[in-house]
């Protein structure tokens, strides 16, 4: 059912939902429990770094305790069968990697730490705090290597090239609420790609997709891949 080359996949929180990590905008979603302005912006971090670190420490612990699900494993099989398949994720967990895939983390990763003073990156410890010293310059200016609202997502040039070149763009488990990721389907379609949305429910950008597969990712993604 999939073309021989040129597949770009974008995943969102829905692909990790059945691993127990929850999502952001579903009824019990994270952004219904916590205010984005208080934990997921650079201003929030400047105002209260301990609070922001506590939020990501909680998420890092949950991600480490979770296991990849059948959707993560199916996408890893797809990349192994078709090495030119590009997997972009909005997620900051490492479940794609742990399933054997090689994702592009456009919103950063819980597993990463970044020094705001010198730009040094290293593997984040389980628990980070404002007192952590950078292993590179020793400044106490370390933050989670996460892209917050108002910050430029990572790898955007590379992503734009993939969207121009792909034959098929597939969005899996994302509400289409956050830009620029939410615009990727339209971008790929304008460049001539076929577009497919695999989701549990209609997203904010559902109407822009050529085809739709509705259902839980652990069923729909292996069915589509295999
Ligand atoms: C930027 C890391 C500019 C943090 C996140 C227009 C153009 C450009 C920008 C904007 C714009 N309009 C507004 C903006 C600003 C903003 C934005 O989009 N705001 C929204 C809220 C309106 N965008 C930004 O700020 C971005 N930066 O634009 O920079 C710039 C330019 C120059 C120089 C500097 C800056 C940065 C956005 C990145 C923010 N960080 N993540 C963290 O994780 O803590 S994004 C945030 O939403 C989440 O973290 C998540 O990564 C992302 C997307 O959410 P989803 O993954 O889609 O999850 P959601 O819960 O919403 O949906 C889940 C879906 O799964 C649902 O559809 C559900 O039905 C489905 N589902 C559930 N269960 C299952 C399932 N599907 C299948 N199976 C299941 N079992």
């Amino acid at each position: 059912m999939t073309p021989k080359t040129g597949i770009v996949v974008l995943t969102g929180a829905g692909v990790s939902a059945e691993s127990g990590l929850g999502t952001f905008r579903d009824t019990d979603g994270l952004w219904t429990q916590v205010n984005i302005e208080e934990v997921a912006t650079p201003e929030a971090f400047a105002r209260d770094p301990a609070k922001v670190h506590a939020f990501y420490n909680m998420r890092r612990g949950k991600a480490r305790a979770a296991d990849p699900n059948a959707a993560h494993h199916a996408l890893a099989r797809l990349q192994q069968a078709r090495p030119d398949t590009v997997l972009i994720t909005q997620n900051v967990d490492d479940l794609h990697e742990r399933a054997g895939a090689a994702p592009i983390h456009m919103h950063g990763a819980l597993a990463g730490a970044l020094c705001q003073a010198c730009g040094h990156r290293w593997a984040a410890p389980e628990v980070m705090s404002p007192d952590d010293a950078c292993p590179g310059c020793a400044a106490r200016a370390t933050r989670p290597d996460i892209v917050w609202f108002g910050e430029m997502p990572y790898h955007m040039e590379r992503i734009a090239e993939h969207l121009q070149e792909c034959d098929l763009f597939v969005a899996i488990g994302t509400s289409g609420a956050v830009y620029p990721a939410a615009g990727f389907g339209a971008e790929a379609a304008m460049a001539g790609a076929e577009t497919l949305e695999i989701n549990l429910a209609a997203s904010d950008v559902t109407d822009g997709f050529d085809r739709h597969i509705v259902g839980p990712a652990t069923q729909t993604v292996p069915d589509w891949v295999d």
Side-chain angles (χ1 to χ4, degrees):
M1 188 42 126
T2 43
K4 291 289 166 279
T5 58
I7 303 171
V8 170
V9 176
L10 169 73
T11 61
V15 83
S16 296
E18 290 163 90
S19 294
L21 288 189
T23 62
F24 295 93
R25 295 173 184 83
D26 289 326
T27 39
D28 52 353
L30 209 47
W31 297 146
T32 66
Q33 298 160 32
V34 184
N35 181 347
I36 285 177
E37 302 303 324
E38 289 178 19
V39 292
T41 66
E43 295 77 13
F45 188 69
R47 189 169 53 244
D48 189 345
K51 178 173 188 168
V52 173
H53 272 307
F55 177 63
Y56 287 99
N57 290 338
M58 175 275 289
R59 300 217 9 232
R60 192 172 299 109
K62 283 187 75 176
R64 287 190 181 178
D67 293 317
N69 62 48
H72 297 106
H73 288 296
L75 291 170
R77 285 199 302 278
L78 176 64
Q79 274 197 311
Q80 279 135 28
R82 297 196 175 90
D84 66 338
T85 299
V86 174
L87 173 61
I88 302 162
T89 188
Q90 298 174 90
N91 300 340
V92 293
D93 63 60
D94 60 352
L95 297 183
H96 281 307
E97 290 88 331
R98 286 163 54 197
I104 296 173
H105 278 280
M106 66 177 289
H107 290 161
L110 289 166
L114 169 65
C115 176
Q116 295 192 123
C118 73
H120 183 65
R121 284 186 162 85
W122 65 99
E126 173 110 16
V127 177
M128 291 185 75
S129 101
D131 303 329
D132 293 347
C134 167
C137 72
R140 279 174 168 62
T142 66
R143 61 173 272 181
D145 192 7
I146 296 276
V147 176
W148 286 321
F149 288 90
E151 294 185 320
M152 178 58 91
Y154 294 150
H155 311 298
M156 287 305 291
E157 271 183 40
R158 186 172 155 207
I159 288 171
E161 285 163 20
H162 290 312
L163 295 174
Q164 289 305 311
E165 291 156 10
C166 68
D167 302 318
L168 174 64
F169 175 81
V170 188
I172 303 174
T174 179
S175 62
V178 176
Y179 287 85
F184 288 175
E187 226 174 296
M190 270 191 291
E194 185 194 353
T195 56
L196 166 63
E197 182 179 69
I198 301 178
N199 211 43
L200 188 61
S203 74
D204 293 2
V205 290
T206 282
D207 294 346
F209 282 80
D210 299 319
R211 291 192 298 126
H212 306 84
I213 299 174
V214 180
T218 54
Q219 291 165 33
T220 51
V221 179
D223 287 352
W224 170 67
V225 166
D226 300 331

